[in-house]
Amino acid sequence: MLKSLSSYFLRTLREDPADAEVESHKLLIRAGFIRRTAPGIYTWLPLGLTTLTKIENIIREEMNRIGAHEVHFAELQPADPYKATHRFDDFGSSLFRLQDRKGNDYVLAPTHEEMFTLLVKDMFSSYKDLPLSLYQIQTKYRDEARPRAGIIRGRQFIMKDSYSFDIDDEGLAASYARHRDAYLQIFKRLGLEVVPVNAMAGAMGGSQSEEFLSPSPIGEDTFVRSAGGYAANAEAVTTPVPQAVDASNEPAAQVVDTPDCPTIESLVDLVNSEYPREDGRAWTAGDTLKNVVVTLTHPDGSRELLVVGVPGDRDVDLKRLEAAVAPADVEMAGDEDFKNHPELVRGYIGPMAIGPNAPSRTTDEDGNPVGSVRYLLDPRIVDGTSWVTGANEVQRHVLHLVKGRDFEADGTIEAAEIRDGDPAPDGSGPLELARGIELGHIFALGRKYTQALGLTVLDENGKSQVVTMGSYGIGVSRVMAAIAEAYSDDKGLVWPIQVAPFDVHVLATGKDDAVFETAQSLAQELDSIGLDVLLDDRRKVSAGVKFKDCELVGIPLALVVGRGLADGLVEIRVRASGDKVEVPVGDVIDTLLQMRAQLMGEER
């Protein structure tokens, strides 16, 4: 149905909104696709809903193509299923919790694994009903501490989530592969480059997990790839563990004075000046052991102090640390934490006061360590390696402290930053870092949810078998933002034809009635042959404003009816390339159809 700007619900903005951080956020608001309601919550306007629907339909077509069935759950869910899988607590503060008037617990669903599982349990009981894949496109809720970047990271967002149900692991592998292939086709049709990377399962659980990241400088996810084909989210990268070192010739540990050394660099300078190595090699930051103190808040509300030891030439990556200790929340230790643990001398923390090395370390009746702060090390810190580290005394450090000879730890943790040039875990070459927007995430869940919720079927021998599951998500609203990031310029949005709110933007520029009548006639004819058309028929708006709005909104093709009409000509503009061509009025329809077909071919 033809839409006319004289009556269309649209207001564009000339200035960027004050709270907008990234281009997609600025442009989607300025072009009238979304409006902010509250931090992380947005209203979808007609232009935005039209594009969103086109994105959803591409996703639906590919999900239907692999035999998945669409359902639709309520956003408000009873809490009991989430309690049964422990996610009522595991989601921590990100879960919106509420009670009804009778005091019953409910949640605003952050995801729907439990409900899909219970639905299948309620309806199916035989292996003959499997394999089965179900999906929905639904609004989800998470109480993000720092919503940012518009619809990229919000508290309310639209997601496609699908779930596969199989009798055995072989069936799960096949379902996982079908969904993975469907995702690659979806993103191809949307015109988005994506990199599938190995990822952490997190609170979802499962044996295998991959993210689909759209490379972007504003992406929140850091990922790595090697020339040999390895790709992973930085949180999921594992460090190749070096061989143990022979430390038989290493000097005995030596505590030395190190005044005025607030940084690793100043410490290295001092020990090179005052305590040179006997082997003649200079001390480096990589010879130092940095001990970082953090506080973990577990889902049950309990707090735990943790010390993480990493080589001094690397920082702790908080996102990697958070992934390693999930579902606990992480924050840097504060003044009160140090006050409660006087053995931790800030700036001079060494292994001998923490972990299994602490004099106060004992075990409880279950054999668990108590009486000291837990100590976890980077995997590179292997037996025989020698370190310069804190001596647990102000302005003093210890040299030649050897792992395995002088100190131990409670275990290892993947928390140190990943750097360009680090070796790939699979030996496929050095790693290259990049940033990306997470658009999709797939999990081979296994039996975590079906076991907890009692989803079983009878196999061909009449025996009860626990069903195995896969979970597959796409952030639909994130996809729209990612497209806006990838397809924009200094004038505005540049939508790919397959998701643009309209195919053709018809502009009547001028004051003559003939211009408006011709524009109206051409727009109606284009609409009648199935094109989506937006007609700018505003009488009291200048041509300059109309052109700016046209470029801002970013419809792929523009048909300009103006001064050339006196010679029987109109102008067609291609938004992406900036190309302009004048054609006779009688050739407009055929020319636009041909140009639209070319654009569709370029994007698919």
Side-chain angles (χ1 to χ4, degrees), residues 50-51 54 495-503 532 554-556:
T50 303
T51 291
K54 290 189 175 184
W495 291 109
I497 190 76
Q498 65 273 27
V499 297
F502 296 95
D503 298 318
D532 295 325
I555 295 168

Side-chain angles (χ1 to χ4, degrees), residues 315-327:
D315 291 325
V316 169
D317 182 330
L318 282 179
K319 291 193 73 172
R320 276 172 55 79
L321 176 57
E322 288 168 352
V325 300

Side-chain angles (χ1 to χ4, degrees), residues 10 12 31 33 47 493 495 501 505 548-555:
L10 174 65
T12 57
F33 284 71
L47 281 177
L493 297 160
W495 291 109
H505 194 156
K548 285 185 179 298
D549 281 346
C550 178
E551 291 167 336
L552 178 61
V553 171
I555 295 168

Side-chain angles (χ1 to χ4, degrees), residues 208-228:
Q208 183 180 2
S209 172
E210 288 178 278
E211 289 177 352
F212 294 78
L213 301 179
S214 175
S216 170
I218 63 96
E220 287 188 301
D221 286 78
T222 300
F223 69 97
V224 300
R225 45 188 166 183
S226 71

Side-chain angles (χ1 to χ4, degrees), residues 291 306-307 343 350-363 367-377 383 403-412:
N291 294 299
L306 173 69
V307 177
E343 74 274 19
M352 303 314 295
I354 50 181
N357 316 293
S360 60
R361 171 64 69 97
T362 60
T363 56
N368 300 312
V370 295
S372 72
V373 177
R374 192 157 58 109
Y375 187 38
L376 299 177
L377 291 174
D383 285 354
K403 166 68 168 64
R405 185 191 73 181
D406 302 321
F407 73 96
E408 296 291 349
D410 292 304
T412 61

Side-chain angles (χ1 to χ4, degrees), residues 6 510-513 516-517 537-542 546:
S6 59
K511 298 181 179 179
D512 294 343
D513 288 342
F516 285 84
E517 290 168 1
D537 60 343
R538 295 175 292 177
R539 287 271 183 174
K540 296 182 180 181
V541 176
S542 70
K546 289 183 178 183

Side-chain angles (χ1 to χ4, degrees), residues 363-399:
T363 56
D364 62 19
E365 58 185 16
D366 297 321
N368 300 312
V370 295
S372 72
V373 177
R374 192 157 58 109
Y375 187 38
L376 299 177
L377 291 174
D378 182 86
R380 299 174 186 83
I381 304 172
V382 297
D383 285 354
T385 51
S386 178
W387 303 93
V388 178
T389 190
N392 304 302
E393 299 177 53
V394 175
Q395 299 196 32
R396 304 196 82 190
H397 283 80
V398 57
L399 312 180

